[in-house]
C-alpha cells in the first residue's frame, strides 16, 4: 500500500508560490517543501491547509484578515487585482465594481447565506475553483476566474454574467436572462452603475 498522493495539492501550492513570487518577489513557503509543511502540521494536529502557512503580519484589529494575508502597503491588493484580472481577461474595473457591491472591500465579510470574502464566494464555489475563500488574494482569484467562466458561458453578455454570479447560472438559464428576483435585479444595476460610472 502506498502513501497518499499529494500531486494535486503540490500543483496547487506550486501555482500559489508562482503567484506569490510575481506579486511579492519571494516564495510563500521558504526553504521547506510542501510535504515537510504537511508533516509538521500533522505532528501539531493542525488540519487546515491554510494553517500551514503562517501570516507575515500579526493579526490585530478589525479587518486584520487583509493585513495578515498581504504584506504591508496600500498597493498589495491593487497589484493582485490587476495581475489576476489581466491573467483571466476580465476588466479590472468590473472586478473592482463587483468587490464594491459584494463586500464593500471587507475581506472578512460573511453573508447570512455563508458567502465569504471580498468577492463573496460560497463555500461550494470556492471548492470548485480550488481557492481558500478566507484568503483575500485567493478569494479575488476565485471570483475573477468565476466571472471569466460565466462571461464565456454567456458569450460576453455582462447582464447575464453578473446575474449568474449573484443568483447562479441555473437560474439565469431557467429564465433566459436576469431572474425576476429583486435582489439580483438590484445587484446587476448596482454593479453596472459602478462599472459604467
Amino acid at each position: 500500500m502506498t502513501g497518499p498522493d499529494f500531486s494535486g495539492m503540490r500543483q496547487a501550492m506550486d501555482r500559489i508560490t508562482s503567484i506569490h513570487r510575481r506579486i511579492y518577489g519571494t516564495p510563500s513557503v521558504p526553504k521547506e517543501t510542501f510535504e515537510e509543511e504537511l508533516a509538521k502540521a500533522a505532528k501539531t494536529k493542525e488540519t487546515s491547509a491554510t494553517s500551514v502557512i503562517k501570516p507575515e503580519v500579526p493579526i490585530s484589529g478589525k479587518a486584520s484578515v487583509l493585513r495578515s494575508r498581504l504584506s504591508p502597503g496600500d498597493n498589495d491588493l491593487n497589484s493582485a487585482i490587476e495581475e489576476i484580472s489581466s491573467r483571466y481577461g476580465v476588466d479590472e474595473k468590473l472586478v473592482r465594481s463587483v468587490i464594491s457591491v459584494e463586500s464593500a472591500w471587507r475581506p472578512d465579510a460573511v453573508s447570512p447565506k455563508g458567502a465569504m470574502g471580498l468577492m463573496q464566494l460560497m463555500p461550494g464555489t470556492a471548492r470548485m475553483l480550488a481557492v481558500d475563500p478566507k484568503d483575500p488574494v485567493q478569494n479575488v482569484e476565485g471570483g475573477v476566474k468565476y466571472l471569466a467562466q460565466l462571461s464565456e458561458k454567456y458569450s460576453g453578455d455582462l447582464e447575464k454574467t453578473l446575474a449568474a454570479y449573484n443568483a447562479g447560472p441555473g437560474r439565469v438559464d431557467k429564465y433566459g436572462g436576469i431572474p425576476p428576483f429583486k435582489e439580483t435585479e438590484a445587484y446587476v444595476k448596482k454593479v453596472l452603475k459602478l462599472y459604467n460610472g
Side-chain angles (χ1 to χ4, degrees), residues 63-112:
S64 60
V65 174
L66 180 62
R67 291 192 300 277
S68 72
R69 299 292 182 186
L70 302 172
S71 63
D74 296 335
N75 293 324
D76 293 332
L77 185 57
N78 289 324
S79 296
I81 290 170
E82 184 180 341
E83 191 273 330
I84 293 166
S85 298
S86 174
R87 183 163 10 103
Y88 288 101
V90 176
D91 188 338
E92 184 181 337
K93 188 175 179 186
L94 177 63
V95 174
R96 293 176 184 285
S97 300
V98 169
I99 292 172
S100 293
V101 174
E102 287 287 353
S103 67
W105 292 87
R106 288 183 41 230
D108 58 346
V110 179
S111 79

Side-chain angles (χ1 to χ4, degrees), residues 14-133:
D14 288 345
R15 182 73 181 125
I16 291 167
T17 300
S18 171
I19 292 167
H20 196 276
R21 280 186 183 135
R22 276 190 267 170
I23 295 172
Y24 306 114
T26 59
S28 60
V29 183
K31 298 181 184 171
E32 297 177 328
T33 66
F34 179 60
E35 288 82 3
E36 290 168 340
E37 286 290 325
L38 277 177
K40 273 202 306 192
K43 285 179 188 172
T44 58
K45 298 187 181 203
E46 292 178 7
T47 56
S48 165
T50 58
S51 67
V52 174
I53 301 172
K54 303 298 181 206
E56 294 175 8
V57 178
I59 296 175
S60 60
K62 196 166 183 173
S64 60
V65 174
L66 180 62
R67 291 192 300 277
S68 72
R69 299 292 182 186
L70 302 172
S71 63
D74 296 335
N75 293 324
D76 293 332
L77 185 57
N78 289 324
S79 296
I81 290 170
E82 184 180 341
E83 191 273 330
I84 293 166
S85 298
S86 174
R87 183 163 10 103
Y88 288 101
V90 176
D91 188 338
E92 184 181 337
K93 188 175 179 186
L94 177 63
V95 174
R96 293 176 184 285
S97 300
V98 169
I99 292 172
S100 293
V101 174
E102 287 287 353
S103 67
W105 292 87
R106 288 183 41 230
D108 58 346
V110 179
S111 79
K113 294 180 182 177
M116 294 182 275
L118 292 165
M119 296 195 75
Q120 291 291 278
L121 299 178
M122 291 298 289
T125 305
R127 278 192 299 277
M128 176 188 78
L129 297 165
V131 295
D132 175 2

